[in-house]
């Protein structure tokens, strides 16, 4: 990993490519989380979108998830208006049936024994893992060369998992910059979030940005998380690891956050986050408390932070759209690095896709 040690202090050095980063698309040759697995019920069709592509998800008779283009190749009707029948997805208009590979396998008014027309929907590589459904929207031949992030905490009995989904009316770059930006503790000060952030390390590869910040906490949160008994000031290291297109963030010995970003369109994004907390209590006590703690932490801790972030993110997007030529001033080298990476990943995909 290339160290950028001499550029850590907030400064005006470095070229910002901010305006272009708001217009670029995704590199689709990665696995993207697109839905919570429990939202895809047997017998139902779940429509999702990933970077302007509509995809219909359904479960076949073996409960395996299938993913096909959400457009019927007969006349273009959305497939989620239809139904699931055995292993097939059936269009709601004329009843044409398709298998998980998107091939037409039946037409209700077709003469028996006659060859079916060659009508094909695009199929997508899909998998179910960590309670999420993942799609590989790029070149099918590359799907096996990539995988969703490893999440060892998912099966760790000492961790409390809190899933959290969010939707943003904003380009994915604005959302990703918010996650990389530890300097916005200012926004969350009434929630007793972190303060005094210092960027202490920044590294960059072709596919990742790793930033480490030192931050301080005090008050209610420090007591809740067991940092300090009297709520006094505690200093911790936060590592923010953007591994395109997702985040793996860790707060020293306390928690991990896996944040999967779903870019939907130029002005819409979603996120699927799995937060793992290592609470200072034994497993025998943690297990019965799990069900009660999850909603409590979600409502007390995450949703208030998230709502504050969404307001800022969407305001940034709104003003960008009013005047896309306007230049803004960025001083955090970690943000400049992530902008550079998002643009580079898009350009890399475009250069191989010609
Ligand atoms: S439009 Fe789908 S079967 Fe006719
Ligand atoms: Fe925030």
């Amino acid at each position: 990993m290339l160290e950028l040690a001499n550029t850590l202090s907030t400064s005006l050095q470095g070229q910002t490519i901010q305006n272009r980063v708001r217009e670029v698309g995704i590199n689709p040759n990665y696995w993207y989380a697109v839905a919570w697995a429990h939202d895809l019920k047997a017998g139902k069709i779940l429509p999702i979108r990933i970077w302007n592509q509509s995809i219909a998800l359904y479960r076949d008779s073996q409960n395996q998830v299938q993913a096909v283009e959400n457009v019927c190749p007969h006349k273009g009707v959305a497939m989620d208006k239809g139904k699931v029948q055995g292993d097939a997805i059936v269009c709601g208009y004329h009843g044409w049936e398709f298998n998980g590979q998107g091939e037409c396998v039946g037409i209700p008014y077709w003469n028996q024994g006659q060859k079916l027309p060659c009508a094909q929907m695009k199929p997508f590589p899909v998998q179910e893992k960590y309670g999420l459904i993942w799609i590989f929207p790029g070149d099918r031949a590359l799907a096996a060369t990539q995988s969703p992030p490893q999440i060892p905490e998912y099966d760790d009995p000492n961790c409390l998992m809190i899933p959290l989904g969010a939707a943003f009316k904003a380009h994915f770059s604005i959302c990703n910059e918010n996650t990389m930006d530890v300097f916005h503790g200012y926004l969350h000060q009434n929630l007793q979030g972190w303060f005094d952030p210092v960027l202490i390390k920044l590294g960059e590869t072709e596919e990742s940005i790793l930033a480490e910040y030192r931050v301080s906490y005090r008050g209610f949160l420090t007591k809740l998380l067991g940092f300090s008994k009297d709520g006094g000031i505690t200093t911790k290291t936060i590592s923010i690891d953007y591994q395109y297109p997702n985040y793996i963030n860790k707060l020293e010995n306390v928690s991990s956050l896996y944040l999967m970003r779903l870019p939907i369109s130029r002005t819409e994004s979603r996120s699927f986050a799995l937060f793992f907390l290592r609470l200072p209590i034994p497993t025998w006590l943690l297990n019965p408390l799990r069900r009660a703690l999850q909603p409590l932490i979600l409502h007390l801790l995450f949703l208030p932070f998230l709502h504050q972030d969404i307001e800022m993110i969407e305001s940034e997007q709104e003003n960008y759209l009013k005047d896309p030529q306007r230049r803004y001033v960025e001083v955090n080298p970690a943000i400049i690095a992530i902008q550079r990476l998002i643009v580079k990943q898009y350009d890399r995909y475009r250069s191989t896709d010609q």
Side-chain angles (χ1 to χ4, degrees):
M1 184 169 281
L2 172 68
E3 292 287 337
L4 302 172
N6 53 353
T7 59
L8 289 183
S9 58
T10 48
S11 74
L12 295 177
Q13 288 169 8
Q15 265 304 117
T16 171
I17 41 173
Q18 193 162 244
N19 301 53
R20 175 140 193 254
V21 77
R22 302 287 177 256
E23 300 293 336
V24 296
I26 61 169
N27 182 344
N29 289 322
Y30 289 91
W31 287 91
Y32 287 81
V34 296
W36 300 109
H38 61 74
D39 284 339
L40 180 57
K41 309 268 189 267
K44 295 275 182 260
I45 303 172
L46 184 67
I48 62 102
R49 276 185 303 147
I50 175 163
W51 203 250
N52 304 313
Q53 296 192 77
S54 283
I55 297 175
L57 303 175
Y58 72 98
R59 294 185 185 275
D60 65 17
S61 57
Q62 304 301 308
N63 211 35
Q64 289 293 312
V65 183
Q66 304 290 343
V68 290
E69 208 180 342
N70 194 10
V71 181
C72 177
H74 178 210
K75 289 177 79 69
V77 164
M79 291 303 292
D80 67 284
K81 296 183 186 302
K83 63 176 183 182
V84 179
Q85 206 170 273
D87 287 337
I89 180 168
V90 183
C91 177
Y93 201 0
H94 306 88
W96 289 27
E97 297 162 29
F98 301 86
N99 64 17
Q101 291 311 301
E103 298 153 346
C104 181
V105 291
I107 296 177
Y109 49 89
W110 206 244
N111 289 334
Q112 279 217 333
Q114 209 181 321
K115 197 171 174 300
L116 286 160
C118 182
Q120 169 88 44
M121 285 183 295
K122 188 177 172 195
F124 291 87
V126 61
Q127 59 178 297
E128 185 172 348
K129 204 173 182 186
Y130 308 126
L132 288 162
I133 294 170
W134 304 77
I135 292 269
F136 192 89
D139 177 355
R140 291 178 67 79
L142 299 176
T145 66
Q146 296 286 340
S147 52
Q150 295 292 319
I151 308 185
E153 290 90 337
Y154 192 79
D155 297 312
D156 185 339
N158 294 307
C159 283
L160 176 71
M161 180 176 88
I162 297 148
L164 173 62
F168 308 86
K169 288 193 213 85
H171 187 270
F172 66 94
S173 63
I174 297 182
C175 304
N176 281 337
E177 288 169 31
N178 167 267
T179 311
M180 178 55 82
D181 174 17
V182 171
F183 291 109
H184 78 272
Y186 184 83
L187 170 67
H188 303 304
Q189 52 190 323
N190 66 326
L191 300 172
Q192 298 197 335
W194 63 93
F195 64 96
D196 276 354
V198 184
L199 181 64
I200 52 175
K201 197 173 164 191
L202 181 62
E204 187 173 5
T205 73
E206 286 289 298
E207 303 197 304
S208 67
I209 304 290
L210 175 66
E212 279 183 16
Y213 297 85
R214 213 175 40 231
V215 295
S216 295
Y217 294 87
R218 75 173 148 233
F220 151 79
L221 252 184
T222 59
K223 278 198 262 182
L224 184 82
L225 297 174
F227 297 173
S228 85
K229 286 198 172 57
D230 57 357
I233 293 178
T234 312
T235 298
K236 295 263 175 201
T237 301
I238 293 185
S239 72
I240 309 239
D241 190 0
Y242 179 62
Q243 298 193 8
Y244 192 96
N246 304 310
Y247 273 99
I248 302 171
N249 300 347
K250 299 203 190 259
L251 174 60
E252 194 187 333
N253 299 325
V254 178
S255 63
S256 319
L257 173 76
Y258 293 80
L259 190 144
M260 279 55 81
R261 186 78 64 206
L262 173 62
I264 295 178
S265 71
R266 217 172 128 245
T267 55
E268 295 162 288
S269 306
R270 286 183 70 185
S271 63
F272 300 88
L274 296 175
F275 181 81
F276 298 91
L277 193 56
R278 234 169 254 283
L279 283 173
I281 50 176
T283 325
W284 63 266
L285 188 58
L286 179 60
N287 283 338
L289 284 177
R290 260 174 224 279
R291 276 178 171 270
L293 280 175
Q294 281 172 336
L296 199 72
I297 293 178
L298 188 68
H299 287 96
L300 273 181
L301 206 60
F302 291 123
L303 294 180
F305 277 83
L306 179 64
H307 291 143
Q308 291 180 331
D309 283 327
I310 290 177
E311 188 185 350
M312 295 299 140
I313 287 171
E314 294 187 348
S315 173
E316 193 177 332
Q317 175 72 54
E318 246 175 71
N319 280 327
Y320 169 74
L321 289 175
K322 281 183 199 152
D323 184 5
Q325 299 314 316
R326 180 164 176 173
R327 307 285 294 179
Y328 294 93
V329 181
E330 182 51 71
V331 295
N332 179 355
I335 301 293
I336 295 168
I338 196 170
Q339 293 181 337
R340 195 163 44 224
L341 179 69
I342 288 171
V343 170
K344 227 194 277 174
Q345 279 286 345
Y346 178 65
D347 287 344
R348 188 166 104 184
Y349 162 64
R350 297 280 295 179
S351 68
T352 54
D353 188 46
Q354 298 310 317

